[in-house]
Amino acid sequence: MATEYDLLIVNGLVVTDTETGEYDIAVKNEKVETVARRGTLSKAIAKRTIDAEGGYVTPGGVDAHVHLDEPPLFGKGSTADNYETGSRSAIAGGTTTIITFAPQRKSEDSLLSILQATHTKANQVCYSDYSFHLLVSNPSPLALSEFKTLREEGISSLKIYMTYEALQLHDGQILDVLLEARKQKITTMVHAENGQVIDWMTAQLENRKFFAPKYHATSHPPVAEVEATYRAISLSEFIDTPILIVHVSTPAAAAHIKAAQDRGLPVYAETCPQYLFLTRKDLDKPGFEGAKCVCSPPPREGEQDHEGIWEGLANGTFTILSSDHCPFTYDDDINGKKTVLSDKYPVGHFKYIPNGCPGLETRLGLTLSADLLPIQKFVEVTSANPAKLYGLWPGKGAFIAGQSDADINIWYPPGQMEEFTLKNELLHHNVDYTPYEGKTMKQWPRYTILRGEVVWDREHGGVLGKKGYGKFIKREASSLAGSRDPGDWDILA
Ligand SMILES: *[C@@H]1O[C@H](CO)[C@@H](O)[C@H](O)[C@H]1NC(C)=O
């Protein structure tokens, strides 16, 4: 008797990071069961068939840099999206897996208790699949001793900060983290900005009574990022362990990364849409409006920076393209951007503006609409590579028969989607603005499928996924290149 499939996707142009071809995909029990040449499944029996009409069919997006439901870590403001609203906006934009942060505060010793607390927030409410990176701000002996258990719990990545007083590690602490990460095959993500350079610039601006949002960009000069990036690379080379530099904004920092990669170091890098589509002019708007685009590092000067970042994506310097979704409501003086407005500071004070922009839902549509990356490269940086780097591949980010989850985006065939102007009201996050308001969209996922279920159908009902369908995915070690020397690191070596 012929197999009965749960779902067939026919007439698509199937794209992975390594291949493009005319294939049909058959799904059964949440998995990709068969990938067959177009037409060969025409007699197959399925509960449902979707005709892709020639459009791209790609693995669901994996967004490896998402902030949801975090406690205030420094200053005012709290995350506008929780796991429910954030993961709902993920699927509406074609992202089927998110990796969020489980943040440890300096006053906290243990990481495992943070992991448990974050599980409680996400449990039973997610629309997309999910995992967590542990954010380590206090590498106490207890915290370091827990790395092994984190791996057993399916966590294979950590994030550390070289800036922000409340989170910043000094170089010795960074080495502590890197050494233990190396032992446990954990990838360390680094926010590379020199905190003291930023503090110094901030004091210069304050002395001159410059407080408007646009000075946020001035207070984070490229040199702060370039220096810290090079330092992070040096420390990771010393310990010989993989790192990922998060949200790289400056071509000069990317050049250091490229040079390290050319020397064979396992140095990986991420960039984000804000460094491809925004500039410091977006922070220089009348009144307080510029606060909407305050994030760190800030959007840079202009065209040349954008071109350098696109080039780094195209030539492999950047391993992944994530959103760094870090949502704060704009028009909200209790939890949002406007908490910094006061009689003393009528246009706010750049230093205290909650840092971050929303972008989880727009990441894929914006990038594909820009049409500046070959389609396989697009799949690589938005899905396959984040899955590989963070130990989700080939369950995620691939179409390997019998192994990959049936997480699938079906896009519009060329010329078949009516272009539209992006408006915040079209989005599903819990934020009252998008930094990309007014951008022309030429692509958007037509269907998004998560483990065989159609969770987004743009023309028939929008979000169809169910709250709680998304599940926690245990992760393995990275499948990209790791430490070059397989032995133990030792001071005498
Ligand atoms: C690749 O991109 C990086 C980052 O923008 C740049 O530094 C480098 O010159 C580019 N080209 C090559 C061939 O490495």
Side-chain angles (χ1 to χ4, degrees):
M1 207 182 96
T3 321
E4 192 193 0
Y5 298 113
D6 296 326
L7 177 65
L8 276 180
I9 297 161
V10 299
N11 297 325
L13 191 56
V14 171
V15 185
T16 65
D17 57 334
T18 53
E19 214 185 328
T20 304
E22 296 180 342
Y23 295 108
D24 295 340
I25 295 179
V27 173
K28 192 172 170 65
N29 298 332
E30 305 191 3
K31 296 266 186 208
V32 171
E33 172 99 353
T34 305
V35 181
R37 209 149 343 114
R38 188 185 282 179
T40 48
L41 291 173
S42 59
K43 296 233 168 57
I45 307 158
K47 296 196 183 97
R48 179 174 180 187
T49 299
I50 297 177
D51 188 342
E53 298 178 341
Y56 290 135
V57 174
T58 62
V62 177
D63 192 338
H65 196 144
V66 179
H67 297 271
L68 298 176
D69 202 354
E70 292 183 359
L73 294 169
F74 36 86
K76 289 188 192 159
S78 52
T79 334
D81 277 310
N82 57 26
Y83 278 84
E84 178 180 342
T85 64
S87 64
R88 187 182 63 200
S89 82
I91 58 166
T95 290
T96 45
T97 304
I98 58 176
I99 313 181
T100 64
F101 295 95
Q104 178 202 32
R105 284 185 272 202
K106 283 210 186 286
S107 57
E108 295 165 317
D109 246 8
S110 167
L111 297 172
L112 294 178
S113 59
I114 311 284
L115 176 61
Q116 281 324 311
T118 312
H119 267 299
T120 305
K121 289 178 178 176
N123 193 25
Q124 305 290 328
V125 300
C126 285
Y127 286 80
S128 67
D129 283 353
Y130 62 94
S131 179
F132 315 117
H133 309 288
L134 258 290
L135 190 170
V136 181
S137 70
N138 175 18
S140 66
L142 176 64
L144 293 169
S145 75
E146 290 173 338
F147 283 19
K148 190 169 188 290
T149 316
L150 287 177
R151 280 300 313 282
E152 289 157 14
E153 297 288 322
I155 305 295
S156 55
S157 51
L158 307 168
K159 183 182 180 194
I160 58 173
Y161 284 78
M162 298 170 83
T163 183
Y164 299 131
E165 211 180 339
L167 301 171
Q168 182 172 350
L169 303 190
H170 61 65
D171 292 353
Q173 291 175 307
I174 294 174
L175 292 172
D176 280 342
V177 170
L178 291 176
L179 182 58
E180 197 56 32
R182 176 195 160 102
K183 289 183 193 156
Q184 304 304 336
K185 293 204 183 328
I186 284 174
T187 300
T188 304
M189 309 159 75
V190 185
H191 179 135
E193 282 189 292
N194 181 317
Q196 291 195 9
V197 171
I198 293 165
D199 291 346
W200 186 87
M201 280 299 281
T202 300
Q204 303 293 309
L205 292 160
E206 287 177 317
N207 288 343
R208 300 213 211 157
K209 307 232 170 333
F210 290 152
F211 300 122
K214 66 177 176 184
Y215 295 110
H216 170 75
T218 319
S219 71
H220 287 245
V223 64
E225 183 183 354
V226 176
E227 184 279 332
T229 299
Y230 186 70
R231 181 155 40 104
I233 292 167
S234 305
L235 298 178
S236 85
E237 181 176 13
F238 180 43
I239 302 294
D240 179 24
T241 192
I243 54 167
L244 170 108
I245 311 285
V246 294
H247 50 47
V248 175
S249 70
T250 308
H256 279 309
I257 292 161
K258 183 73 169 79
Q261 292 168 344
D262 286 346
R263 289 196 292 124
L265 303 182
V267 170
Y268 299 101
E270 171 192 83
T271 192
C272 314
Q274 44 273 41
Y275 310 117
L276 298 169
F277 298 105
L278 303 178
T279 69
R280 65 185 288 150
K281 287 190 203 74
D282 291 292
L283 276 67
D284 188 8
K285 297 260 175 75
F288 188 60
E289 194 79 14
K292 289 179 176 176
C293 295
V294 165
C295 58
S296 296
R300 299 298 184 185
E301 295 303 317
E303 287 289 300
Q304 274 202 330
D305 294 292
H306 290 176
E307 280 167 18
I309 301 298
W310 281 112
E311 183 188 12
L313 276 168
N315 78 19
T317 304
F318 292 110
T319 321
I320 64 176
L321 174 66
S322 313
S323 68
D324 192 6
H325 180 78
C326 187
F328 295 99
T329 309
Y330 174 67
D331 196 11
D332 176 345
D333 57 14
I334 308 210
N335 292 310
K337 295 275 186 182
K338 289 194 174 171
T339 49
V340 292
L341 297 184
S342 64
D343 291 340
K344 187 167 175 215
Y345 298 118
V347 287
H349 185 316
F350 67 87
K351 175 170 139 184
Y352 301 111
I353 298 171
N355 255 246
C357 302
L360 178 49
E361 190 168 348
T362 45
R363 178 183 67 127
L364 299 177
L366 272 176
T367 308
L368 209 51
S369 295
D371 201 17
L372 290 168
L373 291 178
I375 185 71
Q376 285 181 204
K377 182 53 92 172
F378 167 81
V379 171
E380 180 184 312
V381 296
T382 60
S383 176
N385 269 356
K388 290 175 183 174
L389 181 68
Y390 295 120
L392 291 162
W393 198 90
K396 304 295 188 188
F399 289 144
I400 297 181
Q403 294 184 49
S404 301
D405 284 347
D407 297 354
I408 303 167
N409 280 329
I410 304 175
W411 300 86
Y412 283 86
Q416 213 167 299
M417 190 190 86
E418 210 177 309
E419 286 184 10
F420 70 95
T421 302
L422 188 64
K423 290 195 177 67
N424 190 56
E425 69 203 41
L426 297 171
L427 301 178
H428 299 76
H429 58 195
N430 187 36
V431 191
D432 59 352
Y433 77 96
T434 165
Y436 310 106
E437 185 84 19
K439 288 253 187 293
T440 302
M441 305 302 296
K442 298 178 180 157
Q443 266 291 8
W444 197 269
R446 190 178 194 179
Y447 301 92
T448 296
I449 294 155
L450 171 58
R451 285 181 279 107
E453 292 292 323
V454 177
V455 293
W456 166 253
D457 181 338
R458 186 163 176 266
E459 288 150 52
H460 306 103
V463 172
L464 302 180
K466 298 275 178 297
K467 173 180 165 180
Y469 179 66
K471 67 177 190 194
F472 176 73
I473 308 287
K474 278 192 158 194
R475 295 187 285 121
E476 305 292 333
S478 169
S479 53
L480 299 182
S483 305
R484 293 190 296 171
D485 181 346
D488 284 341
W489 186 95
D490 189 81
I491 48 169
L492 299 177

